[in-house]
Amino acid sequence: MSSTQSDSLEEFIPASQTELSRFMTDNAATSQKQIFPVGGRTSLSVCCASSLSGIQVCTSQLNRVIDYPVRDMTITVEAGMRIDHLNEIVSAEGQRLPVDVPQSNRATLGGIIATNTSGPKRFSYGTIRDYVIGTSAVDGTGNLFKSGGRVVKNVAGYDLKKMLVGSLGSLAIISQVSLNLRPKPETLSMVWFTFDSYQKIDRALEALTTSGTRPTAIEYCNSKAARQIAAESRFELPCENDVICISYEGSNNEVHWQTNKIIEEWKEFSPLSAQIVDSDHATRLYNAFVEYQTSSDDPVTLKAVVLPSQMLKFVEAATELNIAVQAHAADGIVFGHLPDSASSLEDVKHILNRLKKEPSLQTGYLTIYQCESEWAEALPLFCSSPPGWSIMREMKNAFDPHQLLNSRRFAELVET
Amino acid sequence: MVEQTSQTITQKTPLLAELKKGSSDFSSLVQQLTETVGKEGVLYDAQELLVYECDGYIVDKNAPDIVVFPTSTEQVSKIVKLCNQYNVPFLARGAGTSLSGGCLPIGGGVMIVLTRMKQILEINLRDRYAIVEPGMVNLHLTNALKGTGYHYAPDPSSQGACTIGGNIATNSGGPHTLKYGVTTNHVLGLEAVLPDGSIIELGGPTAEVPGYDLHGLYVGNEGTFGICTKAIVRLTRDPESHRTMLAVFQTIADATRAISEMIAAGIIPSALEMMDQGIIEAVEEAFHFGFPLDAGAVLLIEVDGLEIALDEEVRQILDICNACNVREIQRADTPEERLLIWKSRKQAFGAIGRLSPSYCTQDGVVPRTRLPEILEFIEETSKRYGLKIVNVFHAGDGNVHPILLFDERDQEQIQKVLEASEEILEKCLELGGSVTGEHGIGVEKINFMSRIFNQTDLDAMESVRNIFNPRQICSRDKVLPPIQSDEKSTVKQSHPARHAPH
């Protein structure tokens, strides 16, 4: 254990689950200071932590492998383990956690569960919730509780681990996690298409629902985002127009067959260009897509979740507002980096208000994904009430009765 | 014949009222329920109620006082509000295929049967979801999707009878969940009537919703959080092609080694099912598939995906099987042959009647690599108790289903079955597994909960249940043991008996 203290924010670094539990019990019983769980500190700007006072509980020392029965293709690790480290361990055995994580050299497992982080390959592999088979966590009063176990199939008891996915550290601090792993594919290739109209893109995306191929990811980016992604990948790609980039994974044989097949299938939608990107270029390009959601220096990054069929309508509106847009097209998840010209809070609110009126958001949600700390208090994390909000509040009260765990973050879930 | 269980079910929550037939409350409740769902939607005749006294778990039985058949969410809500008004317990039931007593109406009360709510409300291929009512039979959804290139992936072996609402309640599995995941991986959202009668939506058709994953939490609640009245489920692309094989091994050890080697080699078959010698005999005698009767075990292996990739995958599987001393491999070259192979697996339970008058199926899970140990333990247990135990199970998930054969007319055998089952499940826990992979805790395994979880874990679960169902008026006394840990479940096992196929 170690701890530090600044003017308004102390730091506590537990060395074990027991220590974490004891600390939380003591805090709840005595000082009742606000607690801010942090892993790799990659998502703090989701809600301004720096302007708050209390204690940062850092999981950096909870980073051990508890058990890795390789041939069972499961692993149990402490939640503070960095994703790169986890990947390194399982990759040596030809396995992987098939979840895309930006800033994986800093992000921790507990952090990505708490923030429900995902990326392009969620289309084919799902999200972290599909791989977590067991968790241990410490609630706001110090109770260390577990859910699930270490086997891939288990329905004993309530699925409390689901409740922690995306909870933003407001219910409990995740301390240990068991994961189901998957085999590493042999290869990755991508096909970069450019189009000159939303209509053509829409028809092409619709045709993907019956394509002979099985993409692992389907990414859309407008030309503004395409330029940034292409530059990041250090590979010359056409990016004067909107782009659809489709990924394939698997054996060399099947990936090669699919990249050619999709080009053939999409000829009828008259793309301006179609370019296969493979080998190291594909990895770099893919990573650029993964990182893009958090890579911007722009003041605000939005996240919208809409029905996939509504994605382009939302994107069109965002593009008109000069927003750089990347979308997991088949999942309807859109990330938008606001332009530098949105330099004041009023500018940001104006853009938000325009987007909130979009009919494509009627079945969907708009979120402030990241923003500068000085604006955080003035912007709601989520722009509409989630379904089940009253139950969520009761859960918050049950697991954190003194409202100590990232409480502001929870309260800011909805616009007041 | 199954003996009638003695009345061992006790009232645990004294605040709830007991419905006495003939009382003014009973008559009044029946009348109001009839006004809500129509005369044809209410049963209260003792003979008619017998059908609903248990589900696939028939060790304990208790008939409800009234059965109602709503046809809409609004009707369910009204029924639930009436139950609250009269202070009587209630619970939901689908097709009654649950295997752990999830549909046992402890304390009597009102049973809300959802089989008339079976409509497909929407199929949206572009956005890859369907909205269905809870009484929809699992297989009917997949049948409705035939020709679209999509299907609903969770496929419990009872999928021809079980309902989507029931699948959600138990987070059920099936042979193809090895690759595609269990029910929770395919539920995007749902509508539910909470135990106070209010209607709530959780999740939704979009890929994610803000806040806590309440629909994920709801899946697998075994009916204790309320009544699911609508489900938004994910649709999955059909694979382009399949390869289905039967690999015959001389010993169980060789078969389980092949399973382990396949997973370790990074091959995730879409199904990997195992049958041991005992079940092979029964299946062969019943259906004459041509299984060698002296084989120790047979693996049903299916891979699916793009046609161009499958032959290579099959080659790897053959290599692994050969390295594990496979005796022979039968391949299904036509859809008819594939169907035949699957028939041998899915009808295995139907063949057991040839072996024994009664049987009891268990539902343990172990890490995949511990399969040899649990199977060896099951064999030892079989010898120690003088009970025949056969195995047919989801080997790729480590989800074993030892089937204990006995004669329920023999009290001594019944006791042996109870004790042997308990030992096997204990061994699963000792090997790092669980006591249920897909059937649920229900009332059957409620006493295991305090062995799997400590009191803090159970308290956390209790606090979640209390949010949804504070008075335990809905599906009472399921999943969680009584608060006093030394107190046994309010339902005592009288004897095990025949379980439905799964």
Side-chain angles (χ1 to χ4, degrees):
Chain A
M1 177 198 84
S2 64
S3 63
T4 57
Q5 187 169 357
S6 65
D7 287 348
S8 60
L9 206 58
E10 298 170 49
E11 186 180 63
F12 176 73
I13 308 175
S16 69
Q17 293 189 105
T18 312
E19 203 172 84
L20 171 61
S21 172
R22 200 180 304 130
F23 171 80
M24 294 292 286
T25 304
D26 290 347
N27 182 59
T30 56
S31 58
Q32 298 196 348
K33 288 188 175 177
Q34 287 291 307
I35 300 290
F36 306 102
V38 295
R41 293 179 165 82
T42 55
S43 298
L44 297 185
S45 57
V46 169
C47 187
C48 174
S50 58
S51 67
L52 303 170
S53 66
I55 305 172
Q56 278 196 354
V57 173
C58 177
T59 58
S60 59
Q61 284 187 22
L62 298 175
N63 61 0
R64 289 159 289 224
V65 176
I66 305 299
D67 186 25
Y68 183 19
V70 173
R71 298 169 84 82
D72 286 332
M73 223 178 261
T74 62
I75 190 169
T76 300
V77 299
E78 290 181 320
M81 178 173 281
R82 295 187 191 284
I83 298 299
D84 268 5
H85 187 200
L86 175 67
N87 284 338
E88 196 180 314
I89 293 165
V90 302
S91 181
E93 303 294 344
Q95 298 173 6
R96 68 171 176 170
L97 173 66
V99 176
D100 300 312
V101 180
Q103 303 174 77
S104 59
N105 59 340
R106 290 174 55 207
T108 61
L109 181 57
I112 69 163
I113 294 170
T115 54
N116 194 15
T117 297
S118 67
K121 70 167 80 87
R122 63 175 292 153
F123 172 63
S124 54
Y125 294 101
T127 58
I128 188 69
R129 85 193 282 276
D130 301 315
Y131 296 91
V132 175
I133 55 177
T135 52
S136 295
V138 177
D139 73 11
T141 56
N143 293 315
L144 172 62
F145 66 95
K146 74 171 184 205
S147 167
R150 297 188 189 181
V151 281
V152 296
K153 205 170 175 191
N154 182 8
V155 294
Y158 300 135
D159 198 350
L160 301 188
K161 54 190 183 292
K162 291 283 189 303
M163 170 185 93
L164 300 176
V165 176
S167 63
L168 293 172
S170 64
L171 290 174
I173 303 177
I174 301 164
S175 53
Q176 190 170 297
V177 183
S178 295
L179 296 163
N180 191 12
L181 301 170
R182 288 273 148 174
K184 256 171 48 176
E186 191 176 1
T187 195
L188 159 74
S189 276
M190 305 178 84
V191 189
W192 176 280
F193 292 96
T194 57
F195 290 90
D196 60 3
S197 80
Y198 288 118
Q199 195 185 19
K200 286 178 187 171
I201 294 175
D202 194 41
R203 285 175 53 219
L205 287 175
E206 185 161 21
L208 266 186
T209 60
T210 52
S211 167
T213 70
R214 296 294 187 272
T216 48
I218 305 162
E219 292 296 287
Y220 163 89
C221 45
N222 64 11
S223 57
K224 189 174 180 184
R227 279 193 291 275
Q228 293 164 335
I229 288 168
E232 183 63 27
S233 70
R234 290 171 284 130
F235 187 59
E236 201 165 312
L237 289 160
C239 39
E240 295 310 309
N241 295 83
D242 290 351
V243 168
I244 294 284
C245 190
I246 306 180
S247 305
Y248 295 98
E249 289 183 348
S251 66
N252 287 323
N253 203 20
E254 64 184 317
V255 167
H256 177 74
W257 180 84
Q258 290 184 94
T259 50
N260 287 298
K261 172 87 173 166
I262 192 67
I263 289 172
E264 190 60 36
E265 282 183 3
W266 273 21
K267 271 183 184 162
E268 68 172 294
F269 308 114
S270 310
L272 294 174
S273 64
Q275 186 168 341
I276 296 173
V277 184
D278 51 23
S279 61
D280 289 347
H281 296 309
T283 306
R284 286 211 306 270
L285 178 57
Y286 190 85
N287 289 341
F289 274 109
V290 171
E291 298 292 334
Y292 188 69
Q293 65 194 53
T294 58
S295 68
S296 172
D297 293 329
D298 297 321
V300 175
T301 300
L302 303 174
K303 179 182 176 185
V305 184
V306 297
L307 290 173
S309 57
Q310 301 298 307
M311 185 273 297
L312 280 174
K313 291 184 186 123
F314 183 83
V315 159
E316 195 173 359
T319 302
E320 278 175 18
L321 293 164
N322 198 23
I323 296 173
V325 172
Q326 171 200 14
H328 310 320
D331 294 299
I333 295 177
V334 184
F335 290 95
H337 298 299
L338 266 58
D340 289 337
S341 56
S343 56
S344 70
L345 189 58
E346 288 312 306
D347 292 339
V348 175
K349 284 186 170 175
H350 173 71
I351 290 173
L352 276 177
N353 287 335
R354 288 275 299 272
L355 287 176
K356 279 157 69 177
K357 289 177 188 153
E358 271 306 304
S360 51
L361 259 182
Q362 208 161 17
T363 304
Y365 304 91
L366 184 62
T367 306
I368 304 292
Y369 191 66
Q370 292 197 8
C371 73
E372 288 185 355
S373 55
E374 60 265 32
W375 292 351
E377 287 180 32
L379 294 171
L381 186 55
F382 291 103
C383 297
S384 55
S385 296
W389 175 237
S390 60
I391 290 182
M392 289 180 200
R393 277 191 304 199
E394 286 190 58
M395 285 177 60
K396 172 69 177 171
N397 292 336
F399 283 84
D400 184 23
H402 306 301
Q403 309 294 306
L404 303 177
L405 277 166
N406 263 349
S407 286
R408 182 173 168 275
R409 217 170 201 177
F410 174 77
E412 296 291 320
L413 278 173
V414 291
E415 197 167 32
T416 52
Chain B
M1 176 177 165
V2 178
E3 288 176 28
Q4 183 63 45
T5 314
S6 58
Q7 182 58 39
T8 55
I9 298 158
T10 57
Q11 288 280 95
K12 177 165 172 276
T13 314
L15 290 174
L16 298 179
E18 197 176 321
L19 264 181
K20 287 200 165 57
K21 196 160 189 180
S23 69
S24 60
D25 267 2
F26 185 92
S27 305
S28 174
L29 179 55
V30 166
Q31 186 190 334
Q32 291 192 64
L33 289 170
T34 304
E35 285 166 10
T36 304
V37 300
K39 196 177 172 186
E40 72 290 348
V42 183
L43 300 178
Y44 52 92
D45 179 88
Q47 295 301 313
E48 291 175 313
L49 296 176
L50 280 178
V51 175
Y52 302 96
E53 65 180 1
C54 66
D55 52 22
Y57 171 76
I58 62 171
V59 174
D60 299 290
K61 295 178 178 179
N62 192 47
D65 296 299
I66 302 169
V67 174
V68 281
F69 298 87
T71 55
S72 70
T73 302
E74 291 66 32
Q75 286 186 0
V76 174
S77 172
K78 277 184 191 169
I79 293 163
V80 168
K81 283 178 179 166
L82 283 171
C83 291
N84 276 274
Q85 185 186 322
Y86 286 85
N87 201 26
V88 296
F90 62 90
L91 82 171
R93 175 183 162 118
T97 57
S98 162
L99 290 162
S100 59
C103 300
L104 181 67
I106 296 174
V110 175
M111 178 176 276
I112 302 169
V113 178
L114 297 160
T115 48
R116 292 184 185 173
M117 292 176 67
K118 57 181 179 183
Q119 303 298 313
I120 295 176
L121 303 173
E122 184 183 353
I123 288 178
N124 185 330
L125 297 180
R126 174 74 187 268
D127 296 321
R128 291 182 295 137
Y129 70 82
I131 304 180
V132 302
E133 290 183 326
M136 173 104 207
V137 170
N138 177 303
L139 187 63
H140 293 179
L141 177 56
T142 286
N143 287 343
L145 288 162
K146 266 185 185 154
T148 64
Y150 286 79
H151 69 287
Y152 175 58
D155 63 336
S157 293
S158 57
Q159 71 176 139
C162 66
T163 61
I164 303 276
N167 296 163
I168 288 172
T170 56
N171 190 15
S172 56
H176 288 92
T177 57
L178 173 59
K179 181 171 179 178
Y180 294 101
V182 291
T183 297
T184 191
N185 303 112
H186 302 274
V187 176
L188 290 164
L190 51 89
E191 176 191 81
V193 172
L194 296 182
D196 65 359
S198 58
I199 300 168
I200 192 167
E201 287 181 3
L202 306 175
T206 49
E208 55 188 59
V209 299
Y212 306 148
D213 183 357
L214 293 183
H215 67 285
L217 177 66
Y218 191 96
V219 174
N221 76 74
E222 301 193 31
T224 61
F225 289 180
I227 298 174
C228 173
T229 47
K230 210 178 277 178
I232 307 171
V233 297
R234 188 191 308 281
L235 301 180
T236 303
R237 278 300 299 277
D238 293 343
E240 186 188 22
S241 205
H242 303 89
R243 296 285 189 278
T244 310
M245 295 156 270
L246 273 178
V248 180
F249 291 87
Q250 192 62 38
T251 65
I252 286 180
D254 282 339
T256 52
R257 194 155 58 89
I259 293 162
S260 191
E261 293 292 332
M262 268 182 247
I263 302 292
I267 300 166
I268 307 287
S270 54
L272 188 48
E273 303 281 297
M274 182 168 153
M275 291 184 270
D276 74 0
Q277 188 175 32
I279 202 84
I280 291 170
E281 280 175 22
V283 168
E284 187 54 26
E285 193 180 329
F287 305 113
H288 310 294
F289 288 111
F291 291 138
L293 294 177
D294 60 338
V298 164
L299 286 184
L300 191 169
I301 308 164
E302 184 161 279
V303 289
D304 67 20
L306 290 173
E307 177 64 31
I308 193 166
L310 288 183
D311 285 338
E312 171 58 20
E313 206 161 358
V314 168
R315 188 193 60 73
Q316 289 179 45
I317 289 170
L318 295 182
D319 285 349
I320 289 167
C321 288
N322 283 326
C324 296
N325 308 318
V326 71
R327 258 176 55 170
E328 64 171 288
I329 295 186
Q330 298 174 18
R331 291 174 58 164
D333 292 325
T334 65
E336 291 74 27
E337 286 175 2
R338 177 180 178 241
L339 208 61
L340 195 65
I341 286 181
W342 271 110
K343 197 174 168 190
S344 73
R345 164 62 179 94
K346 295 213 171 185
Q347 296 198 357
F349 282 84
I352 292 169
R354 291 174 174 267
L355 300 177
S356 169
S358 315
Y359 65 91
C360 172
T361 311
Q362 273 309 337
D363 177 35
V365 193
V366 294
R368 284 179 283 236
T369 50
R370 312 301 291 271
L371 277 173
E373 285 162 81
I374 192 66
L375 290 170
E376 194 178 318
F377 183 81
I378 291 168
E379 194 180 346
E380 273 173 26
T381 308
S382 164
K383 285 177 186 159
R384 198 157 14 93
Y385 281 94
L387 278 173
K388 186 161 185 180
I389 305 178
V390 297
N391 293 282
V392 49
F393 59 95
H394 312 305
D397 295 318
N399 186 189
V400 294
H401 293 308
I403 303 162
L404 297 89
L405 308 179
F406 67 104
D407 184 340
E408 63 196 338
R409 292 164 297 194
D410 182 340
Q411 284 300 318
E412 193 185 343
Q413 282 192 44
I414 290 167
Q415 191 56 34
K416 283 180 180 179
V417 167
L418 284 173
E419 289 172 18
S421 294
E422 178 121 345
E423 281 192 31
I424 291 167
L425 293 175
E426 283 283 3
K427 187 69 178 177
C428 288
L429 291 180
E430 187 189 316
L431 293 173
S434 175
V435 298
T436 173
E438 55 189 6
H439 296 176
I441 294 295
V443 295
E444 182 195 18
K445 290 174 179 169
I446 205 162
N447 292 326
F448 271 99
M449 285 295 279
S450 54
R451 298 182 225 179
I452 306 169
F453 298 105
N454 65 29
Q455 195 55 48
T456 314
D457 307 330
L458 294 173
D459 288 345
M461 291 185 201
E462 179 102 23
S463 62
V464 167
R465 183 178 64 185
N466 287 342
I467 290 167
F468 287 93
N469 187 14
R471 297 175 57 219
Q472 274 209 69
I473 191 171
C474 175
S475 205
R476 59 191 308 198
D477 294 357
K478 311 281 168 58
V479 184
L480 295 178
I483 292 168
Q484 281 76 28
S485 57
D486 56 343
E487 193 183 327
K488 280 278 183 184
S489 164
T490 52
V491 180
K492 291 176 187 166
Q493 291 180 320
S494 60
H495 59 77
R498 191 179 297 270
H499 280 192
H502 55 99

Short mmCIF file of all heavy atoms in Angstrom, two decimals, chain B residues 438-457:
data_model
loop_
_atom_site.label_atom_id
_atom_site.label_comp_id
_atom_site.label_asym_id
_atom_site.label_seq_id
_atom_site.Cartn_x
_atom_site.Cartn_y
_atom_site.Cartn_z
N GLU B 438 -26.56 -24.42 -16.88
CA GLU B 438 -27.65 -23.92 -17.72
C GLU B 438 -29.03 -24.16 -17.14
O GLU B 438 -30.00 -23.59 -17.63
CB GLU B 438 -27.56 -24.56 -19.11
CG GLU B 438 -27.54 -26.08 -19.11
CD GLU B 438 -27.24 -26.67 -20.48
OE1 GLU B 438 -26.94 -25.91 -21.40
OE2 GLU B 438 -27.31 -27.91 -20.61
N HIS B 439 -29.14 -24.98 -16.11
CA HIS B 439 -30.48 -25.27 -15.59
C HIS B 439 -30.91 -24.29 -14.51
O HIS B 439 -32.11 -24.13 -14.27
CB HIS B 439 -30.53 -26.68 -15.01
CG HIS B 439 -30.30 -27.76 -16.04
ND1 HIS B 439 -30.23 -29.08 -15.72
CD2 HIS B 439 -30.12 -27.68 -17.37
CE1 HIS B 439 -30.02 -29.80 -16.82
NE2 HIS B 439 -29.94 -28.96 -17.83
N GLY B 440 -29.97 -23.67 -13.85
CA GLY B 440 -30.29 -22.70 -12.82
C GLY B 440 -30.33 -23.32 -11.43
O GLY B 440 -30.23 -24.53 -11.25
N ILE B 441 -30.45 -22.44 -10.45
CA ILE B 441 -30.48 -22.85 -9.04
C ILE B 441 -31.90 -23.28 -8.66
O ILE B 441 -32.11 -24.33 -8.06
CB ILE B 441 -30.02 -21.68 -8.14
CG1 ILE B 441 -28.54 -21.37 -8.39
CG2 ILE B 441 -30.26 -22.02 -6.66
CD1 ILE B 441 -27.56 -22.46 -8.01
N GLY B 442 -32.87 -22.44 -9.02
CA GLY B 442 -34.27 -22.74 -8.71
C GLY B 442 -34.45 -23.06 -7.25
O GLY B 442 -33.93 -22.36 -6.36
N VAL B 443 -35.20 -24.14 -6.98
CA VAL B 443 -35.28 -24.62 -5.60
C VAL B 443 -34.35 -25.82 -5.43
O VAL B 443 -33.94 -26.15 -4.33
CB VAL B 443 -36.73 -25.03 -5.23
CG1 VAL B 443 -37.64 -23.82 -5.25
CG2 VAL B 443 -37.26 -26.10 -6.16
N GLU B 444 -34.03 -26.46 -6.55
CA GLU B 444 -33.28 -27.71 -6.49
C GLU B 444 -31.91 -27.54 -5.83
O GLU B 444 -31.50 -28.36 -5.02
CB GLU B 444 -33.09 -28.26 -7.92
CG GLU B 444 -32.36 -29.58 -7.98
CD GLU B 444 -31.87 -29.93 -9.38
OE1 GLU B 444 -31.80 -29.02 -10.23
OE2 GLU B 444 -31.56 -31.10 -9.61
N LYS B 445 -31.20 -26.47 -6.19
CA LYS B 445 -29.81 -26.36 -5.73
C LYS B 445 -29.60 -25.19 -4.79
O LYS B 445 -28.49 -24.70 -4.62
CB LYS B 445 -28.89 -26.23 -6.95
CG LYS B 445 -28.82 -27.54 -7.72
CD LYS B 445 -28.05 -27.45 -8.99
CE LYS B 445 -28.04 -28.82 -9.64
NZ LYS B 445 -27.54 -28.78 -11.00
N ILE B 446 -30.69 -24.76 -4.17
CA ILE B 446 -30.61 -23.56 -3.33
C ILE B 446 -29.63 -23.76 -2.16
O ILE B 446 -28.97 -22.83 -1.73
CB ILE B 446 -32.03 -23.17 -2.86
CG1 ILE B 446 -32.09 -21.69 -2.57
CG2 ILE B 446 -32.52 -24.02 -1.71
CD1 ILE B 446 -33.50 -21.13 -2.53
N ASN B 447 -29.53 -25.00 -1.69
CA ASN B 447 -28.63 -25.23 -0.56
C ASN B 447 -27.16 -25.22 -0.96
O ASN B 447 -26.28 -25.23 -0.10
CB ASN B 447 -28.98 -26.55 0.13
CG ASN B 447 -30.33 -26.45 0.81
OD1 ASN B 447 -30.71 -25.38 1.31
ND2 ASN B 447 -31.09 -27.54 0.80
N PHE B 448 -26.90 -25.23 -2.27
CA PHE B 448 -25.51 -25.13 -2.72
C PHE B 448 -25.02 -23.69 -2.73
O PHE B 448 -23.82 -23.45 -2.77
CB PHE B 448 -25.35 -25.70 -4.13
CG PHE B 448 -25.05 -27.17 -4.15
CD1 PHE B 448 -26.04 -28.10 -4.38
CD2 PHE B 448 -23.75 -27.63 -3.94
CE1 PHE B 448 -25.76 -29.45 -4.39
CE2 PHE B 448 -23.45 -28.98 -3.95
CZ PHE B 448 -24.47 -29.90 -4.17
N MET B 449 -25.94 -22.75 -2.74
CA MET B 449 -25.52 -21.35 -2.91
C MET B 449 -24.54 -20.90 -1.83
O MET B 449 -23.59 -20.18 -2.10
CB MET B 449 -26.75 -20.44 -2.94
CG MET B 449 -27.53 -20.51 -4.24
SD MET B 449 -26.57 -19.88 -5.63
CE MET B 449 -26.80 -18.11 -5.44
N SER B 450 -24.79 -21.33 -0.60
CA SER B 450 -23.88 -20.90 0.47
C SER B 450 -22.56 -21.65 0.44
O SER B 450 -21.64 -21.33 1.19
CB SER B 450 -24.56 -21.05 1.84
OG SER B 450 -25.01 -22.37 1.98
N ARG B 451 -22.46 -22.67 -0.41
CA ARG B 451 -21.16 -23.34 -0.58
C ARG B 451 -20.37 -22.69 -1.71
O ARG B 451 -19.16 -22.74 -1.75
CB ARG B 451 -21.36 -24.82 -0.88
CG ARG B 451 -22.07 -25.55 0.25
CD ARG B 451 -22.21 -27.02 -0.05
NE ARG B 451 -23.55 -27.48 0.25
CZ ARG B 451 -23.99 -28.72 0.07
NH1 ARG B 451 -23.18 -29.63 -0.42
NH2 ARG B 451 -25.22 -29.05 0.37
N ILE B 452 -21.10 -22.10 -2.66
CA ILE B 452 -20.42 -21.43 -3.79
C ILE B 452 -20.02 -20.02 -3.39
O ILE B 452 -18.95 -19.54 -3.74
CB ILE B 452 -21.35 -21.35 -5.02
CG1 ILE B 452 -21.89 -22.74 -5.39
CG2 ILE B 452 -20.65 -20.71 -6.20
CD1 ILE B 452 -23.01 -22.69 -6.43
N PHE B 453 -20.92 -19.37 -2.69
CA PHE B 453 -20.72 -17.95 -2.36
C PHE B 453 -20.66 -17.76 -0.84
O PHE B 453 -21.33 -18.49 -0.10
CB PHE B 453 -21.87 -17.11 -2.91
CG PHE B 453 -21.98 -17.18 -4.43
CD1 PHE B 453 -22.98 -17.94 -5.03
CD2 PHE B 453 -21.10 -16.49 -5.23
CE1 PHE B 453 -23.08 -18.00 -6.41
CE2 PHE B 453 -21.19 -16.55 -6.62
CZ PHE B 453 -22.19 -17.31 -7.20
N ASN B 454 -19.89 -16.76 -0.40
CA ASN B 454 -19.90 -16.45 1.03
C ASN B 454 -21.06 -15.51 1.34
O ASN B 454 -21.78 -15.07 0.43
CB ASN B 454 -18.54 -15.89 1.49
CG ASN B 454 -18.24 -14.54 0.86
OD1 ASN B 454 -19.15 -13.78 0.53
ND2 ASN B 454 -16.96 -14.25 0.69
N GLN B 455 -21.22 -15.21 2.61
CA GLN B 455 -22.40 -14.43 3.01
C GLN B 455 -22.40 -13.03 2.38
O GLN B 455 -23.45 -12.49 2.04
CB GLN B 455 -22.48 -14.34 4.54
CG GLN B 455 -23.83 -13.88 5.05
CD GLN B 455 -25.00 -14.73 4.53
OE1 GLN B 455 -24.95 -15.96 4.58
NE2 GLN B 455 -26.04 -14.09 4.01
N THR B 456 -21.20 -12.46 2.20
CA THR B 456 -21.13 -11.12 1.59
C THR B 456 -21.61 -11.17 0.14
O THR B 456 -22.34 -10.28 -0.32
CB THR B 456 -19.68 -10.58 1.62
OG1 THR B 456 -19.15 -10.80 2.91
CG2 THR B 456 -19.64 -9.10 1.30
N ASP B 457 -21.21 -12.22 -0.58
CA ASP B 457 -21.67 -12.37 -1.96
C ASP B 457 -23.20 -12.51 -1.99
O ASP B 457 -23.89 -11.89 -2.81
CB ASP B 457 -21.09 -13.63 -2.61
CG ASP B 457 -19.57 -13.71 -2.51
OD1 ASP B 457 -18.94 -12.64 -2.47
OD2 ASP B 457 -19.04 -14.83 -2.46
#
